[in-house]
Amino acid sequence: MSTPKTLLIVYHSQTGGTHQMACAARDGALAEEGVSVRLLHAAEAKADDVLAADGLVFATPENLAAISGQLKDFFDRSYYAVLDRINGRPYAALICAGSDGHNAARQIERIATGWRLKPVAEPLIVCTHAQTPEAILAPKQINEDDLERCRALGESLTAGLALGVF
């Protein structure tokens, strides 16, 4: 019997949008039996969590055209401890952005490239169109179509892990 696979979802969310996206990915991932799914806030996630994962999802808001400081802190704390120990593992990214999201996606891609991870989906970017200070700081409600895209990403990632595709 093969060892059960694990998907780790590391997220940071200040206004709730990214958290909703990460939870939707987790819910989709739980549809696949035989794969353990862990959802960890970036402040709680550690290098050992990354080492124990067979697949990864990184979820962040885009803040000032970059990943959130908390997700960056997670990468800073974990980067060298896992370097050359997770080569080839699959990953995907979820970005909650006010207008664009592509710079945060590129930043995650550069980090994942350094870790030699394998992208298995295009970054999933949800645009909230929050442009004023009030809208940016307000609690977010991600629409059901975008949450369904996040669920589908989680489900396809765990299906690939379970089937040994990744």
Side-chain angles (χ1 to χ4, degrees), residues 77-120:
R77 288 183 288 107
S78 305
Y79 192 83
Y80 293 105
V82 306
L83 189 61
D84 284 330
R85 299 174 70 191
I86 58 171
N87 297 5
R89 292 184 192 178
Y91 87 95
L94 303 172
I95 314 292
C96 185
S99 61
D100 184 66
H102 290 91
N103 282 335
R106 279 191 289 276
Q107 192 175 8
I108 289 174
E109 180 184 8
R110 286 192 306 269
I111 292 165
T113 298
W115 270 350
R116 295 162 191 84
L117 299 177
K118 176 184 174 185
V120 294

